Amino acid sequence: MASRRNSASTSEASGARACRVREALTAAFAPQKLEILDESSRHAHHVAMTRGPEAGATETHFRLLLVSRLFEGVSRVNRSRMVHDALGYEFGSGLHALALTLRTPEEDAALS
C-alpha cells in the first residue's frame, strides 16, 4: 500500500468523514493497524451524492487496511460485512465505496 500512499490521487484521509470512520472502526475492532486512504479524487467523475446530511460530500471513496484479532476464524465475506455494519451511518450519509484489506494479526505478520 505504500506505493498507493505516494500517489497524487490518493492521500492519507484526514477529513471529517475519515475521522468518524477511524473512530467507528477503532471502537468496533480495536485494530492493531488501521490505515485509511482517501481515494475520492480518483472518482471525481461520479455524480455527487445527493442523499443524507452531507449531500455533495467529497469524502466518498476510501481504501482501508484493518488488522484486528476480531477477524480470527471469520471468512473474508463476513469480515467485509462486519466493517459495512460498523459504518452503516456513513453509507447512509454519502460514503459510496470502500476498498477493504482485512487481516488478522497473524495474516498481517506473514506478509511483513
Side-chain angles (χ1 to χ4, degrees):
M1 290 190 63
S3 63
R4 290 187 190 280
R5 185 175 297 129
N6 295 329
S7 168
S9 60
T10 304
S11 61
E12 281 291 333
S14 60
R17 184 184 311 278
C19 290
R20 291 192 309 270
V21 166
R22 181 174 302 282
E23 289 172 7
L25 295 177
T26 298
F29 297 99
Q32 292 186 359
K33 186 185 292 185
L34 176 57
E35 294 178 11
I36 303 173
L37 303 177
D38 186 349
E39 295 188 330
S40 300
S41 64
R42 300 171 101 188
H43 303 274
H45 61 282
H46 288 190
V47 175
M49 302 301 286
T50 57
R51 66 176 189 256
E54 294 186 39
T58 57
E59 292 178 276
T60 57
H61 294 70
F62 292 105
R63 177 173 298 277
L64 304 177
L65 168 62
L66 176 58
V67 178
S68 174
R69 291 225 170 270
L70 294 178
F71 295 141
E72 292 176 0
V74 178
S75 71
R76 287 178 57 195
V77 170
N78 285 334
R79 291 176 189 190
S80 293
R81 286 180 180 149
M82 292 165 66
V83 170
H84 280 256
D85 288 347
L87 297 177
Y89 169 79
E90 297 303 331
F91 279 106
S93 67
L95 179 61
H96 180 67
L98 295 175
L100 299 173
T101 302
L102 308 172
R103 300 180 186 140
T104 66
E106 292 76 21
E107 292 167 343
D108 193 56
L111 295 171
S112 298

